[in-house]
Amino acid sequence: MDRHLLSGNEAIARGAYEAGVKVCSAYPGTPSTEIFEELPQYKDALYCEWAPNEKVATEVAYGASIAGVRSLCAMKHVGVNVAADPIYTAAYNGVGGGFVIVSADDPSMHSSQNEQDNRYYAKSAKLPMLEPSDSQECLDFMKEAYRISEQFDMPVLFRTTTRVAHSKSLVTLGQREERPVPPYARNTRKYIASPANAMLNHPKLEKNMEELERFACASPLNRVEMNGTKIGVVTASIAYQYAKDAFPADTSFLKLGITNPLPMELIRDFASKVEKLYVIEELEDFMEAQIRAAGIPCVGKELTGRLYELNPQLIRQRVFGEAAPVTDVGVSAVSRPPALCPGCPHRGFFYTMSRHKDFVVAGDIGCYTLGGSAPLSALDSCVCMGGGFTVAMGMAKAFEMAGVTDKKVFGVMGDSTFFHSGMTGAAEIVYNKGKVIPVVLDNSITGMTGHQENPGSGFTLQGDMAESLKIEEILRAYGYENVIIVDPQDLAAMERAVQDALASSVPAAIITRRPCLLIKRIKHDIGKCAVDPDKCIGCKRCLSVGCPAVIVEGKKARIDRDQCVGCTVCAQVCPMGAISREEK
Amino acid sequence: MTKNKSALLVGVGGQGAILTAKVLVGGLMRAGYDVKMSEVHGMSQRGGSVSTQVHWGEKVNSPVIGKGAADIIVAFEKMEAVRYADYLKPDGVVVINDYEMASSSIAAGLCEYPAGCLEAMEKHFCCHVLEAGRIAHELGSAKCMNIVLFGSMVKALHMEDVVDWESVIAETVPEKFRALNLRAYRAGYDAVRA
């Protein structure tokens, strides 16, 4: 049998393709990004795009569903917060073509700002939820998700976690099934979410959920593995794999693939066949609380805890008290935190911010969140996508109201984040007269998630050229009469730009513009810097730019030639002129 | 088939552990094993500490392990061996690249690179230490360091009979680097005393 080693994300993309999906829209976010990076290979059969944000992506996919085709949107867990508005109402209205929303959660926050448990979205929005536990299930469950969506007239929430999305396991592929698209007919009763229609849709939704629970009790996605009657485990998602390794061989499992609604009669029946029932799940007691509320005694969170990822050894330790044989070698590794890359265009901007103790800088989500790390330490906050401008606005208004006059407030975000949800914040500042300088760090790409296109980058996900939106034109149209565009790698110009913006009598904004050095289609000016040891006095000023390539050994600075790209930011801060870029 | 095995490939983002994992997994699949592999993308890639886990056997459940459960750690950088040492079984095996890479906090002079990483590992585990970077450089390119380490891993875990690893490498790497990587595999293999 031909089996392929696929990540969960690759398998989800394949599953969508095989299910005959025709329209796909997403905004990148770890750990969901690779689903859409896989889709362009199927572009002869489906349309796929990066949308400006998750709400847009959800609306595009839902629109396609209304028009009668199967559609997909995908996002990281916090992206569902952005998309929640259309999701809740789509649940009321129902679907045309099957509609699947992938939520990729990130327990242990490998690359996230929180570890919210998005299973509660399924409960609260009343969506059927499928949770695969390996890559084969990612593929198979996608196809089932579309069948359920169409059979029950509901959007389906397809939830993964980092270890499902990014782990690779063996998958047998199937064939794409093309689906006939019914002729479009307007259905205002169904799709116009007016109060009168919503009044009718809500009871229909409740009835659907009841029917779905009966369906879930009989679905092969919820499967009993009877191995003994002593211990039974109800589990789902990646926790199933952990529990299989952690519990003794004579443990029976009720492995759930459909976790909303929970198949309570199936659980009750399973519970009656075992002496002790455990519920093993990561993060919150989503299943356990419902099972207890149904009057079924079980044990779970009191042992496993609700913080961070689990693994087989942790479960064994917490459930059975069997500590793993851990060796302490007596030497501790020092931390190796991520840092802005050598040559990162953000470095010059954050260095400039770091030189002014009176600057207050509200940051945002992206590579530039690293501007808050030592030694740059140039951020006051980072909350959510697009929050940089508006959190800054709130702080500035608070300073005004409290009579604080010695603070200069900046709101900072990248180009992709600006298009995601920063534009409304830019409007807010200029219209409501905020004493804030909005700064867009334009590196021409969506950096942190691994270089996805955005409306400013000039290309689409499918690889076509597109007319890029000009950030300066958008800001000017909003009323920023003084838009200063600066190369952040030129520290003198960067400082001038900041002072000009602060002194401006008309609304001012700054765009720092230099492409990410990792963009392959751009020819970058790469070189090497070197330290003249005779001129270096060991003052360590060069370390203040926080570049991984700059090292001080003994009393002298040194540049790691393997890492250096010759951006010269360190050279510009050296008071002795000891660092220079080598001539080619 | 023997009991399930778990390997941790650890290093610093950009050192090439992914290709090593790809070769390992390719060979294991060809040999008919069930395989699962776990890696983390995103923020952790930016010069941070990275780890890839590979698990194989007749039937593999979890794609990740916790502490005290790995059969082998292949460390592309020696401080990373220490960082993940608590993931090893007490009778676990370690292949360590004798190579030091300062973290940003060390480069900034905020703390020092820990002394005695190799000695500490050797005291507690069966260790194979080699200068994979130097070996790779002598073979013609520092970039084949990952396959040097892979060769050492095969020897250290006695995996030579699992599959014809040289043909797996030949199929996995681009053609123009084939000869180089085969030399790297053999050099890494020979660098470990059985």
Short mmCIF file of all heavy atoms in Angstrom, two decimals, chain B residues 16-60:
data_model
loop_
_atom_site.label_atom_id
_atom_site.label_comp_id
_atom_site.label_asym_id
_atom_site.label_seq_id
_atom_site.Cartn_x
_atom_site.Cartn_y
_atom_site.Cartn_z
N GLY B 16 19.96 22.26 10.21
CA GLY B 16 19.75 21.17 9.26
C GLY B 16 19.24 19.87 9.86
O GLY B 16 19.36 18.81 9.25
N ALA B 17 18.67 19.94 11.06
CA ALA B 17 18.15 18.73 11.69
C ALA B 17 16.98 18.14 10.90
O ALA B 17 16.76 16.93 10.93
CB ALA B 17 17.72 19.04 13.12
N ILE B 18 16.27 18.98 10.16
CA ILE B 18 15.10 18.50 9.43
C ILE B 18 15.50 17.47 8.37
O ILE B 18 14.86 16.44 8.21
CB ILE B 18 14.35 19.70 8.75
CG1 ILE B 18 13.83 20.67 9.82
CG2 ILE B 18 13.22 19.22 7.86
CD1 ILE B 18 12.62 20.23 10.59
N LEU B 19 16.62 17.74 7.66
CA LEU B 19 17.06 16.80 6.63
C LEU B 19 17.48 15.48 7.27
O LEU B 19 17.18 14.40 6.74
CB LEU B 19 18.20 17.39 5.80
CG LEU B 19 18.69 16.44 4.68
CD1 LEU B 19 17.66 16.34 3.56
CD2 LEU B 19 20.04 16.88 4.11
N THR B 20 18.15 15.57 8.39
CA THR B 20 18.55 14.36 9.10
C THR B 20 17.33 13.52 9.44
O THR B 20 17.29 12.31 9.23
CB THR B 20 19.30 14.73 10.40
OG1 THR B 20 20.30 15.69 10.08
CG2 THR B 20 19.94 13.51 11.04
N ALA B 21 16.32 14.17 9.95
CA ALA B 21 15.08 13.48 10.31
C ALA B 21 14.44 12.87 9.07
O ALA B 21 13.90 11.76 9.11
CB ALA B 21 14.12 14.45 10.99
N LYS B 22 14.52 13.59 7.97
CA LYS B 22 13.91 13.12 6.73
C LYS B 22 14.57 11.83 6.24
O LYS B 22 13.89 10.89 5.81
CB LYS B 22 14.07 14.21 5.66
CG LYS B 22 12.94 14.28 4.66
CD LYS B 22 13.10 15.52 3.80
CE LYS B 22 12.42 15.29 2.47
NZ LYS B 22 12.65 16.40 1.52
N VAL B 23 15.89 11.78 6.33
CA VAL B 23 16.62 10.57 5.93
C VAL B 23 16.25 9.42 6.86
O VAL B 23 15.93 8.30 6.42
CB VAL B 23 18.14 10.82 5.94
CG1 VAL B 23 18.89 9.51 5.71
CG2 VAL B 23 18.54 11.84 4.88
N LEU B 24 16.28 9.69 8.16
CA LEU B 24 15.96 8.66 9.15
C LEU B 24 14.57 8.09 8.89
O LEU B 24 14.37 6.87 8.80
CB LEU B 24 16.04 9.27 10.56
CG LEU B 24 15.57 8.41 11.72
CD1 LEU B 24 16.41 7.14 11.84
CD2 LEU B 24 15.62 9.19 13.04
N VAL B 25 13.62 8.98 8.73
CA VAL B 25 12.23 8.57 8.56
C VAL B 25 12.05 7.83 7.23
O VAL B 25 11.35 6.82 7.16
CB VAL B 25 11.32 9.81 8.64
CG1 VAL B 25 9.96 9.52 8.07
CG2 VAL B 25 11.21 10.28 10.09
N GLY B 26 12.72 8.31 6.19
CA GLY B 26 12.62 7.65 4.88
C GLY B 26 13.09 6.20 4.95
O GLY B 26 12.44 5.30 4.41
N GLY B 27 14.19 5.98 5.63
CA GLY B 27 14.72 4.62 5.77
C GLY B 27 13.82 3.74 6.60
O GLY B 27 13.56 2.58 6.26
N LEU B 28 13.30 4.30 7.68
CA LEU B 28 12.43 3.52 8.57
C LEU B 28 11.15 3.12 7.85
O LEU B 28 10.64 2.01 8.01
CB LEU B 28 12.10 4.33 9.83
CG LEU B 28 13.29 4.61 10.76
CD1 LEU B 28 12.95 5.68 11.78
CD2 LEU B 28 13.74 3.32 11.46
N MET B 29 10.62 4.03 7.05
CA MET B 29 9.41 3.72 6.28
C MET B 29 9.69 2.61 5.28
O MET B 29 8.90 1.69 5.12
CB MET B 29 8.91 4.96 5.53
CG MET B 29 8.14 5.93 6.40
SD MET B 29 7.81 7.49 5.52
CE MET B 29 6.69 6.92 4.24
N ARG B 30 10.85 2.72 4.63
CA ARG B 30 11.19 1.70 3.64
C ARG B 30 11.35 0.33 4.31
O ARG B 30 11.02 -0.70 3.73
CB ARG B 30 12.47 2.09 2.91
CG ARG B 30 12.66 1.25 1.64
CD ARG B 30 14.05 1.34 1.10
NE ARG B 30 14.32 2.63 0.46
CZ ARG B 30 15.46 2.89 -0.19
NH1 ARG B 30 16.41 1.98 -0.28
NH2 ARG B 30 15.65 4.06 -0.75
N ALA B 31 11.84 0.36 5.54
CA ALA B 31 12.02 -0.90 6.28
C ALA B 31 10.70 -1.44 6.82
O ALA B 31 10.66 -2.49 7.45
CB ALA B 31 13.01 -0.68 7.41
N GLY B 32 9.62 -0.70 6.63
CA GLY B 32 8.30 -1.20 7.00
C GLY B 32 7.83 -0.82 8.39
O GLY B 32 6.82 -1.31 8.88
N TYR B 33 8.55 0.08 9.03
CA TYR B 33 8.14 0.51 10.36
C TYR B 33 6.98 1.50 10.29
O TYR B 33 6.84 2.25 9.32
CB TYR B 33 9.29 1.21 11.08
CG TYR B 33 10.37 0.29 11.58
CD1 TYR B 33 11.56 0.14 10.85
CD2 TYR B 33 10.23 -0.40 12.77
CE1 TYR B 33 12.57 -0.69 11.31
CE2 TYR B 33 11.24 -1.23 13.24
CZ TYR B 33 12.41 -1.38 12.50
OH TYR B 33 13.40 -2.20 12.95
N ASP B 34 6.18 1.51 11.35
CA ASP B 34 5.28 2.63 11.57
C ASP B 34 6.14 3.76 12.11
O ASP B 34 7.02 3.54 12.95
CB ASP B 34 4.18 2.25 12.58
CG ASP B 34 3.13 3.34 12.73
OD1 ASP B 34 2.98 4.17 11.79
OD2 ASP B 34 2.45 3.38 13.77
N VAL B 35 5.92 4.98 11.63
CA VAL B 35 6.78 6.11 12.01
C VAL B 35 5.91 7.31 12.36
O VAL B 35 4.91 7.58 11.70
CB VAL B 35 7.71 6.52 10.84
CG1 VAL B 35 8.63 7.65 11.27
CG2 VAL B 35 8.52 5.35 10.35
N LYS B 36 6.29 8.02 13.41
CA LYS B 36 5.70 9.33 13.67
C LYS B 36 6.82 10.30 14.00
O LYS B 36 7.83 9.92 14.57
CB LYS B 36 4.68 9.27 14.80
CG LYS B 36 3.37 8.64 14.36
CD LYS B 36 2.28 8.76 15.38
CE LYS B 36 1.01 8.08 14.85
NZ LYS B 36 -0.06 8.07 15.86
N MET B 37 6.59 11.53 13.64
CA MET B 37 7.64 12.53 13.77
C MET B 37 6.97 13.83 14.21
O MET B 37 5.88 14.15 13.76
CB MET B 37 8.26 12.69 12.39
CG MET B 37 9.25 13.78 12.25
SD MET B 37 9.87 13.65 10.54
CE MET B 37 10.59 15.25 10.40
N SER B 38 7.63 14.54 15.10
CA SER B 38 7.03 15.79 15.56
C SER B 38 8.03 16.92 15.53
O SER B 38 9.17 16.76 15.95
CB SER B 38 6.49 15.62 16.99
OG SER B 38 5.72 16.73 17.33
N GLU B 39 7.61 18.02 15.02
CA GLU B 39 8.45 19.22 15.03
C GLU B 39 7.56 20.40 15.31
O GLU B 39 6.33 20.31 15.19
CB GLU B 39 9.18 19.38 13.69
CG GLU B 39 8.25 19.29 12.50
CD GLU B 39 8.97 19.10 11.17
OE1 GLU B 39 9.85 18.24 11.10
OE2 GLU B 39 8.63 19.81 10.22
N VAL B 40 8.16 21.50 15.71
CA VAL B 40 7.38 22.70 16.01
C VAL B 40 7.88 23.82 15.11
O VAL B 40 9.07 24.04 14.99
CB VAL B 40 7.51 23.08 17.49
CG1 VAL B 40 6.87 24.42 17.75
CG2 VAL B 40 6.85 22.02 18.36
N HIS B 41 6.94 24.51 14.46
CA HIS B 41 7.30 25.61 13.57
C HIS B 41 6.95 26.93 14.24
O HIS B 41 6.35 26.93 15.29
CB HIS B 41 6.53 25.53 12.24
CG HIS B 41 6.55 24.18 11.61
ND1 HIS B 41 5.98 23.94 10.40
CD2 HIS B 41 7.08 22.99 12.00
CE1 HIS B 41 6.14 22.67 10.07
NE2 HIS B 41 6.80 22.08 11.03
N GLY B 42 7.28 28.01 13.57
CA GLY B 42 6.84 29.31 14.07
C GLY B 42 7.93 30.03 14.82
O GLY B 42 9.07 30.05 14.41
N MET B 43 7.56 30.61 15.93
CA MET B 43 8.45 31.51 16.64
C MET B 43 9.76 30.82 17.05
O MET B 43 10.81 31.44 17.06
CB MET B 43 7.74 32.01 17.89
CG MET B 43 8.42 33.20 18.52
SD MET B 43 7.18 34.16 19.35
CE MET B 43 8.03 35.70 19.55
N SER B 44 9.67 29.53 17.39
CA SER B 44 10.84 28.84 17.91
C SER B 44 11.96 28.74 16.88
O SER B 44 13.08 28.40 17.20
CB SER B 44 10.44 27.45 18.38
OG SER B 44 9.80 26.76 17.35
N GLN B 45 11.63 29.03 15.60
CA GLN B 45 12.65 28.89 14.57
C GLN B 45 13.67 30.02 14.57
O GLN B 45 14.76 29.85 14.07
CB GLN B 45 12.00 28.85 13.19
CG GLN B 45 11.33 27.53 12.89
CD GLN B 45 10.71 27.54 11.52
OE1 GLN B 45 9.99 28.46 11.16
NE2 GLN B 45 10.99 26.52 10.73
N ARG B 46 13.32 31.16 15.11
CA ARG B 46 14.17 32.34 14.97
C ARG B 46 15.40 32.27 15.88
O ARG B 46 15.47 32.96 16.88
CB ARG B 46 13.35 33.60 15.27
CG ARG B 46 12.19 33.81 14.32
CD ARG B 46 12.63 34.49 13.04
NE ARG B 46 11.52 34.63 12.11
CZ ARG B 46 11.27 33.78 11.12
NH1 ARG B 46 12.03 32.73 10.94
NH2 ARG B 46 10.26 33.99 10.31
N GLY B 47 16.33 31.39 15.54
CA GLY B 47 17.58 31.30 16.30
C GLY B 47 17.41 30.64 17.64
O GLY B 47 18.32 30.63 18.46
N GLY B 48 16.22 30.11 17.89
CA GLY B 48 15.97 29.48 19.18
C GLY B 48 16.38 28.02 19.19
O GLY B 48 16.84 27.47 18.19
N SER B 49 16.21 27.40 20.34
CA SER B 49 16.49 25.98 20.50
C SER B 49 15.39 25.19 19.80
O SER B 49 14.21 25.48 19.96
CB SER B 49 16.51 25.68 22.00
OG SER B 49 16.43 24.31 22.23
N VAL B 50 15.77 24.19 18.99
CA VAL B 50 14.74 23.41 18.29
C VAL B 50 14.94 21.91 18.53
O VAL B 50 16.07 21.46 18.72
CB VAL B 50 14.74 23.67 16.76
CG1 VAL B 50 14.30 25.08 16.45
CG2 VAL B 50 16.10 23.40 16.15
N SER B 51 13.86 21.17 18.53
CA SER B 51 13.97 19.72 18.66
C SER B 51 12.97 19.05 17.73
O SER B 51 11.86 19.53 17.55
CB SER B 51 13.72 19.29 20.10
OG SER B 51 12.36 19.34 20.40
N THR B 52 13.42 17.97 17.13
CA THR B 52 12.56 17.14 16.30
C THR B 52 12.55 15.74 16.92
O THR B 52 13.59 15.23 17.29
CB THR B 52 13.11 17.06 14.87
OG1 THR B 52 13.17 18.39 14.34
CG2 THR B 52 12.22 16.22 13.97
N GLN B 53 11.37 15.18 17.05
CA GLN B 53 11.27 13.84 17.63
C GLN B 53 10.88 12.85 16.54
O GLN B 53 10.01 13.14 15.72
CB GLN B 53 10.19 13.81 18.72
CG GLN B 53 10.42 14.77 19.86
CD GLN B 53 9.56 14.44 21.07
OE1 GLN B 53 8.84 13.45 21.07
NE2 GLN B 53 9.66 15.27 22.10
N VAL B 54 11.52 11.68 16.55
CA VAL B 54 11.15 10.62 15.63
C VAL B 54 10.91 9.34 16.43
O VAL B 54 11.71 9.00 17.30
CB VAL B 54 12.26 10.37 14.57
CG1 VAL B 54 11.85 9.24 13.63
CG2 VAL B 54 12.55 11.64 13.78
N HIS B 55 9.79 8.69 16.17
CA HIS B 55 9.43 7.47 16.89
C HIS B 55 9.09 6.39 15.88
O HIS B 55 8.42 6.66 14.90
CB HIS B 55 8.21 7.73 17.79
CG HIS B 55 8.37 8.97 18.60
ND1 HIS B 55 9.08 9.03 19.77
CD2 HIS B 55 7.93 10.24 18.38
CE1 HIS B 55 9.08 10.25 20.24
NE2 HIS B 55 8.39 11.01 19.42
N TRP B 56 9.57 5.18 16.13
CA TRP B 56 9.28 4.10 15.19
C TRP B 56 9.11 2.77 15.90
O TRP B 56 9.58 2.59 17.03
CB TRP B 56 10.35 4.02 14.11
CG TRP B 56 11.73 3.65 14.54
CD1 TRP B 56 12.30 2.42 14.47
CD2 TRP B 56 12.76 4.51 15.07
NE1 TRP B 56 13.59 2.46 14.91
CE2 TRP B 56 13.90 3.72 15.29
CE3 TRP B 56 12.81 5.88 15.38
CZ2 TRP B 56 15.09 4.24 15.81
CZ3 TRP B 56 13.99 6.39 15.90
CH2 TRP B 56 15.11 5.58 16.12
N GLY B 57 8.45 1.86 15.24
CA GLY B 57 8.18 0.54 15.79
C GLY B 57 7.08 -0.11 14.99
O GLY B 57 6.73 0.34 13.89
N GLU B 58 6.51 -1.18 15.53
CA GLU B 58 5.44 -1.88 14.82
C GLU B 58 4.20 -1.00 14.74
O GLU B 58 3.55 -0.89 13.71
CB GLU B 58 5.12 -3.19 15.53
CG GLU B 58 4.37 -4.16 14.67
CD GLU B 58 4.28 -5.53 15.32
OE1 GLU B 58 5.04 -5.80 16.27
OE2 GLU B 58 3.43 -6.30 14.89
N LYS B 59 3.88 -0.36 15.89
CA LYS B 59 2.74 0.56 15.93
C LYS B 59 3.09 1.69 16.89
O LYS B 59 3.36 1.44 18.06
CB LYS B 59 1.49 -0.21 16.43
CG LYS B 59 0.30 0.69 16.74
CD LYS B 59 -0.54 0.94 15.50
CE LYS B 59 -1.78 1.79 15.83
NZ LYS B 59 -1.49 3.23 15.87
N VAL B 60 3.11 2.89 16.38
CA VAL B 60 3.46 4.05 17.20
C VAL B 60 2.19 4.82 17.53
O VAL B 60 1.38 5.09 16.63
CB VAL B 60 4.46 4.97 16.46
CG1 VAL B 60 4.79 6.19 17.31
CG2 VAL B 60 5.72 4.21 16.11
#
